[in-house]
Amino acid sequence: METIISQKFLINDDLGLGHIKDIEMLSFQGLFTSLRKTLDVKYTRKLHIDSILKKCKARFFKAINDCIKQCVKIHIKKLPQAFITNISIEYNKSIMELSGEDAFKLNDTYGFPIDLTKEILSEHGMKVNIERFHELMKIQKKRSRAARKNAGADAWISNITDLSDIAATDFVGYTDYKTSSKILAVIKEGERVDTAQEGDNIVLVLDKTPFYAESGGQVSDTGVVEVGGCSVDVDSVTKNNDVFLHACVVTGGTLKVGDTARCSIDSDRRESIMRNHTAAHLLQAALKEVLGSHVQQAGQFVCDDYVRFDFTHFSAMSAEELIKTEKLVNEKILESLAVTTEVMPIEEAKKSGATALFGEKYGDTVRVVTMGDFSKEFCGGTHVNNTSKLGLFKIKQEGSVAAGVRRIEAVTGFGVLKYLNKVIQAIVNAGQALRINNIKEIAVGAQRISMEMKEKDRMILELQEKLAQEQIKSVVNNAKAIETTKVVSKKFENTTPDMLRKMCEKVMDTEPDCVVVLAGVNEGKLTFCCCCSKEAIAKGLKAGNIVKQVAVIAGGNGGGKPDSAMAGGKDLSKVDEAINSVENIVKEMLS
């Protein structure tokens, strides 16, 4: 960090605070300069480094600003008066320490760094209960680890379930969809049992299995296990130290440990999962080619319905980039690239150019999945043996997940037909709603109907304005004069804010010394508009002050310039009371 800057954070919240005084903070400027040089050398200008860093810096200061707002809200009675301006608060000097609970909330809920909390408060003589803060952080970490440990099928096993005598499960599902397996253990309600019967929720442990266990973002297989006349539905599969845990429901009959079982996965579902997983590899390679080599996988979820792929990128993809990416993946599908797998030493795999997931831990040997000369990745998941089996690839949507991370959701094979059929049905429904029989004419028909609606809206607006003008004439003729200033106030139904403003201007054109306050109710929303003439302003009457007082009566707020101001209201039952208050408000201001 090379540069110290003074950053002013504006506070606009319900507490009515003005702004926090200048706070000295460490700028990222020096770090950004060094980082830019490093990235320029390593990745070239293709990364648009300046754009990335500018956005990172903006996000940092916004995050700090938001957190300071929360700090003020939580500790409004604790903060030193020197820390806040434009508000009168009696500072209790006996409160000199921020509790560990509050510091933890700022960090855990709002992302406010504990070091920055300490630094800011220390400048104003306050401390943080750092010991309690660290205690709460430890508790949170333990809770998170426990939650991860007990997720999925692991929750079916208690902490005392002993599987130390069970050998690693032989997974044969890369090639075999059916196997004959021996039941090594049955677990019910966290305890190992000898038998299970119809209706039992159990976990089965087999010596070998065709069921893929959930890992690497790929969901597990489902299917059935049969033992004689006993049938078991396999709902999900996880791993515990290479022991596969099959979460099942016994749908009929009885089974016991030692039985030989016939295992069959849902092959259609598996094929769909494999198509989507292979598509994920093709997608990553395509994104690198279209967007740049900085693209890295940041997470994925592969199921039978779709593939969800998260990747590092600094901005939303354009329509052109999405089209190029989708086209490139489909080109590789049509090229019928062979998909091969090979288990090799990790160092050899790295030298071969295979892509590894950043931050993932690998053993001494890894499984490498290759698709022609287009994609080569470390992967333990299941795949089709040729890209042509994907049939077709379609991107459904692209969006943001977090700062610098984008997400694409896509479909393959029959999933594309399902998606397209939904889109076509939506178009047909739109055509029926617009009374257009030929869907090819929907765009033209929709444009025509839109123009017709705009014309009708224009005609309605003209009629409403004419009606309002007639009403305004009546209101002006009956307006009361306070001293020499005419006061015009009235409520109108089905009147937009723009209409109110125009009506006020009409009055101002005819009355040189006047105050106009009009209320409009439109689709359940209440708006106040106030205008003051030059003569009225010269007497001390200001539209912003008047409309604010009027709006408060109806539970709203607002303001503006001396000559023109707008405000909103919440309580429609108070509209008449608010409008009737205008004369008294003007009288008080003139007195």
Side-chain angles (χ1 to χ4, degrees):
M1 306 293 184
E2 298 173 2
T3 306
I4 301 289
I5 66 169
S6 180
Q7 174 72 23
K8 180 176 290 184
F9 296 95
L10 298 179
I11 300 295
N12 296 311
D13 57 20
D14 296 335
L15 295 174
L17 295 179
H19 65 278
I20 293 181
K21 285 187 175 180
D22 291 359
I23 301 171
E24 284 193 349
M25 300 187 61
L26 288 175
S27 167
F28 281 164
Q29 193 61 47
L31 177 62
F32 285 176
T33 301
S34 300
L35 186 59
R36 183 186 293 109
K37 292 179 180 178
T38 302
L39 292 174
D40 274 342
V41 172
K42 190 171 182 180
Y43 297 111
T44 76
R45 296 186 181 276
K46 193 173 183 180
L47 282 175
H48 307 293
I49 300 304
D50 289 335
S51 175
I52 298 173
L53 298 182
K54 183 178 180 181
K55 292 182 179 181
C56 289
K57 185 176 179 181
R59 290 192 188 103
F60 171 77
F61 283 126
K62 182 181 184 302
I64 296 301
N65 192 13
D66 291 343
C67 290
I68 289 180
K69 290 181 185 180
Q70 296 300 334
C71 184
V72 173
K73 289 180 179 179
I74 295 171
H75 311 293
I76 191 67
K77 294 182 180 179
K78 300 179 183 179
L79 289 172
Q81 191 159 1
F83 199 57
I84 340 169
T85 60
N86 294 345
I87 190 168
S88 176
I89 296 177
E90 183 178 353
Y91 170 50
N92 185 350
K93 293 184 178 179
S94 64
I95 302 176
M96 298 298 294
E97 183 178 77
L98 185 68
S99 70
E101 285 76 9
D102 287 340
F104 175 77
K105 183 176 182 179
L106 286 170
N107 180 273
D108 183 59
T109 305
Y110 304 111
F112 201 62
I114 184 62
D115 291 338
L116 197 52
T117 300
K118 289 167 58 180
E119 181 180 344
I120 292 174
L121 294 180
S122 66
E123 292 176 358
H124 301 282
M126 289 185 69
K127 296 182 180 179
V128 180
N129 189 334
I130 198 68
E131 292 79 13
R132 179 57 178 161
F133 170 82
H134 287 307
E135 286 178 8
L136 293 171
M137 288 295 291
K138 288 180 181 178
I139 293 172
Q140 182 208 43
K141 289 179 180 178
K142 288 181 180 179
R143 190 184 300 118
S144 297
R145 283 196 295 268
R148 288 194 299 269
K149 183 177 181 180
N150 293 327
D154 288 357
W156 297 51
I157 304 176
S158 72
N159 292 331
I160 60 174
T161 303
D162 184 11
L163 297 175
S164 60
D165 60 318
I166 305 294
T169 306
D170 180 17
F171 174 62
V172 297
Y174 286 131
T175 56
D176 300 333
Y177 289 2
K178 297 181 179 182
T179 62
S180 177
S181 306
K182 183 179 180 181
I183 299 176
L184 301 180
V186 179
I187 302 166
K188 180 182 177 182
E189 297 180 353
E191 301 291 337
R192 291 178 65 168
V193 296
D194 294 327
T195 62
Q197 57 189 2
E198 183 176 350
D200 286 347
N201 292 319
I202 61 173
V203 171
L204 282 181
V205 181
L206 310 171
D207 63 339
K208 63 180 177 179
T209 181
F211 291 91
Y212 180 84
E214 180 178 347
S215 61
Q218 178 179 325
V219 297
S220 69
D221 287 321
T222 58
V224 295
V225 173
E226 297 174 311
V227 181
C230 178
S231 179
V232 179
D233 286 345
V234 179
D235 295 326
S236 64
V237 186
T238 59
K239 287 191 292 186
N240 186 349
N241 295 326
D242 293 327
V243 175
F244 282 49
L245 308 172
H246 305 73
C248 314
V249 177
V250 181
T251 57
T254 302
L255 60 80
K256 63 181 183 298
V257 174
D259 282 346
T260 298
R262 297 182 301 278
C263 305
S264 303
I265 67 172
D266 184 336
S267 59
D268 289 340
R269 181 173 178 273
R270 162 70 84 81
E271 294 289 341
S272 295
I273 294 171
M274 292 196 301
R275 284 192 289 269
N276 288 333
H277 200 159
T278 300
H281 285 226
L282 293 175
L283 176 58
Q284 178 168 214
L287 287 169
K288 285 179 177 290
E289 187 165 320
V290 173
L291 301 179
S293 59
H294 64 281
V295 169
Q296 297 292 332
Q297 179 182 328
Q300 71 174 7
F301 177 75
V302 179
C303 65
D304 52 321
D305 290 327
Y306 61 88
V307 53
R308 190 176 67 212
F309 187 79
D310 297 346
F311 59 98
T312 55
H313 189 53
F314 52 84
S315 63
M317 292 180 67
S318 66
E320 182 181 2
E321 288 171 337
L322 286 170
I323 291 172
K324 284 183 178 180
T325 301
E326 188 176 86
K327 182 174 182 292
L328 183 54
V329 172
N330 281 299
E331 285 175 352
K332 298 306 172 183
I333 291 173
L334 294 176
E335 287 178 14
S336 299
L337 301 178
V339 180
T340 60
T341 59
E342 185 179 1
V343 177
M344 62 179 72
I346 188 168
E347 293 303 323
E348 182 181 340
K350 289 179 180 178
K351 291 178 181 178
S352 72
T355 301
L357 183 60
F358 179 77
E360 192 75 9
K361 294 182 179 179
Y362 297 97
D364 295 333
T365 59
V366 293
R367 185 168 179 265
V368 177
V369 177
T370 304
M371 301 176 191
D373 58 358
F374 187 65
S375 170
K376 178 178 284 191
E377 294 186 35
F378 291 18
C379 183
T382 60
H383 292 272
V384 298
N385 58 17
N386 193 287
T387 60
S388 63
K389 292 188 175 181
L390 272 63
L392 198 62
F393 172 83
K394 179 66 182 174
I395 294 176
K396 292 175 61 177
Q397 60 187 31
E398 187 268 352
S400 174
V401 179
V405 180
R406 309 295 300 177
R407 171 173 292 173
I408 282 179
E409 187 173 308
V411 288
T412 62
F414 292 108
V416 177
L417 292 178
K418 184 178 179 181
Y419 171 70
L420 292 179
N421 285 334
K422 283 185 177 181
V423 173
I424 292 171
Q425 187 60 51
I427 295 173
V428 171
N429 292 341
Q432 291 175 347
L434 296 172
R435 297 181 180 180
I436 300 172
N437 296 325
N438 188 346
I439 62 174
K440 293 181 180 180
E441 297 177 358
I442 284 182
V444 176
Q447 186 176 12
R448 185 187 68 250
I449 292 173
S450 176
M451 293 176 65
E452 291 175 356
M453 290 179 65
K454 287 181 180 179
E455 179 61 20
K456 289 180 180 179
D457 288 341
R458 187 190 63 79
M459 294 173 63
I460 291 172
L461 184 59
E462 285 183 358
L463 291 173
Q464 287 177 336
E465 288 180 351
K466 289 179 180 179
L467 179 61
Q469 287 175 17
E470 292 301 319
Q471 291 177 317
I472 282 294
K473 288 180 182 179
S474 174
V475 172
V476 171
N477 291 334
N478 297 316
K480 291 185 178 180
I482 301 175
E483 296 181 5
T484 59
T485 302
K486 277 193 175 183
V487 178
V488 178
S489 59
K490 181 71 175 178
K491 179 188 77 172
F492 295 94
E493 296 290 343
N494 302 317
T495 307
T496 65
D498 285 339
M499 290 172 63
L500 285 179
R501 189 179 292 107
K502 290 179 180 179
M503 290 162 67
C504 283
E505 291 172 354
K506 291 289 184 183
V507 177
M508 299 298 290
D509 290 340
T510 60
E511 297 295 330
D513 186 0
C514 68
V515 172
V516 188
V517 179
L518 303 180
V521 179
N522 187 52
E523 297 181 352
K525 294 182 179 180
L526 173 60
T527 305
F528 295 98
C529 182
C530 177
C531 286
C532 291
S533 65
K534 291 182 179 180
E535 289 81 354
I537 295 172
K539 296 177 182 180
L541 297 172
K542 296 181 179 179
N545 295 340
I546 295 172
V547 80
K548 183 174 184 179
Q549 292 187 49
V550 173
V552 166
I553 296 173
N557 204 347
K561 298 178 181 179
D563 61 333
S564 179
M566 302 286 288
K570 297 179 181 178
D571 191 348
L572 294 177
S573 67
K574 298 286 187 179
V575 180
D576 292 333
E577 181 182 345
I579 285 297
N580 292 334
S581 72
V582 175
E583 289 184 25
N584 289 333
I585 291 173
V586 173
K587 283 180 182 179
E588 290 178 5
M589 288 185 173
L590 288 174
S591 64

